[in-house]
Amino acid sequence: MRSISKNAVLHLLAVTALAGAAAPASPADAANDRNPAHQQSSENTMQQHPYVGMWVTADGRVRHELLFRYDEARGSRESAYQGRYEVTGTHIEYWDDTGFTADGDFVDDNTLHHGGMVLRRKWAETTLSADFPT
């Protein structure tokens, strides 16, 4: 009978530990995990930051589109890399869907330094720019 009691106690401890590991850190986290609007809110925040848009190297070979997620084109390969990104101040962190990570820094409102490259904001097709043909 004593070994049954020990097994029951061990089982209870294991179940409690596993339940605690699966539980959210706070009630707010639990609500956010169940609420798809929380993710949408984060995506909306990303879309509203001042660096949303298209960023292109001078030769047009590398193009970063920053919207809800990022989409990077390389040469003729559209969507070569895709994933999420986060901007903190003037710093950007990328997390590619394959697990690759990268970062960069916006040195001014129209210039992004990323991976040894300089990308400049590409304005809408109706905006003429000396740096990029339309």
Side-chain angles (χ1 to χ4, degrees), residues 74-132:
R74 295 251 174 167
S76 62
R77 189 173 165 210
E78 295 296 323
S79 299
Y81 301 99
Q82 296 177 311
R84 70 181 187 91
Y85 69 95
E86 185 175 304
V87 175
T88 305
T90 58
H91 186 76
I92 184 168
E93 295 278 340
Y94 299 90
W95 292 270
D96 185 85
D97 291 341
T98 65
F100 180 77
T101 61
D103 67 348
D105 292 291
F106 295 94
V107 296
D108 61 40
D109 289 345
N110 299 305
T111 309
L112 167 61
H113 288 184
H114 165 72
M117 298 177 284
V118 176
L119 293 92
R120 300 213 185 267
R121 184 188 302 272
K122 181 169 179 166
W123 298 102
E125 296 299 344
T126 57
T127 304
L128 296 178
S129 170
D131 293 331
F132 303 106

Side-chain angles (χ1 to χ4, degrees), residues 5 7 32-33 38-39 57 59 65 69 71 83-84 91 94 98 101-102:
S5 175
N7 287 341
N32 291 337
D33 288 344
H38 178 265
Q39 182 176 359
T57 56
D59 62 4
E65 184 176 35
R69 293 170 39 87
D71 190 323
R84 70 181 187 91
H91 186 76
Y94 299 90
T98 65
T101 61

Side-chain angles (χ1 to χ4, degrees), residues 1-10:
M1 183 81 168
R2 186 171 190 176
S3 64
I4 293 171
S5 175
K6 281 184 182 178
N7 287 341
V9 170
L10 290 176

